[in-house]
Amino acid sequence: MRQLSRVEVYFLAKELGSLLKNARVSNFYHNEELNLALIKLHSTSGTRRLIYQGGLRAHLTSFVYPFPSPSANVVNVRKLIRGSFVREVSQVNFDRILRIELERRSE
């Protein structure tokens, strides 16, 4: 499987940015064996699942992946990001880095 190009990451950031802006993070999953991470989000258009696999792919999916019991690291990440909102999705310096900025809103 080939890696995403810089141009692909550019268009991916634009598309995900428009679809996920202001979506609330409800959970985070990680499979270390497959280097696969999933962020479950809720937006006005419904539940979204963002899947990421180490530089190879990043996309929204409706497939429900089986994930093992969370490790201590996954539990800590969940505590940090649950309930936060997607502020922006961007590409860093036209490199193959996809940045998802999250923010906490006071209730």
Side-chain angles (χ1 to χ4, degrees), residues 31-72:
N31 184 325
E32 204 168 308
E33 238 178 76
L34 300 174
N35 193 22
L36 191 72
L38 183 137
I39 302 174
K40 190 173 177 184
L41 304 127
H42 291 285
S43 67
T44 55
S45 58
T47 300
R48 307 243 184 204
R49 290 177 180 87
L50 175 64
I51 194 95
Y52 173 78
Q53 187 174 24
L56 299 175
R57 63 182 172 140
H59 58 86
L60 296 175
T61 183
S62 58
F63 185 77
V64 179
Y65 286 85
F67 283 94
S69 297
S71 66

Side-chain angles (χ1 to χ4, degrees), residues 4 7-8 11-12 14-15 17-18 26-27 32 50 55-57 60 65 76-77 79-80 83 87-88 102 107:
L4 292 170
V7 174
E8 289 170 322
F11 286 106
L12 182 64
K14 285 187 128 348
E15 184 177 353
S18 65
S26 64
N27 218 341
E32 204 168 308
L50 175 64
L56 299 175
R57 63 182 172 140
L60 296 175
Y65 286 85
N76 288 333
V77 170
K79 287 178 186 177
L80 286 172
R87 183 172 155 217
E88 182 181 14
L102 303 174
E107 297 180 23

Side-chain angles (χ1 to χ4, degrees), residues 68-107:
S69 297
S71 66
N73 289 336
V74 171
V75 171
N76 288 333
V77 170
R78 285 179 177 179
K79 287 178 186 177
L80 286 172
I81 68 173
R82 258 192 197 152
S84 58
F85 291 83
V86 176
R87 183 172 155 217
E88 182 181 14
V89 180
S90 60
Q91 182 180 24
V92 178
N93 297 326
F94 200 64
D95 206 349
R96 293 181 316 197
I97 301 170
L98 186 66
R99 176 181 20 215
I100 302 172
E101 291 183 42
L102 303 174
E103 71 178 349
R104 287 244 180 230
R105 296 182 182 160
S106 57
E107 297 180 23

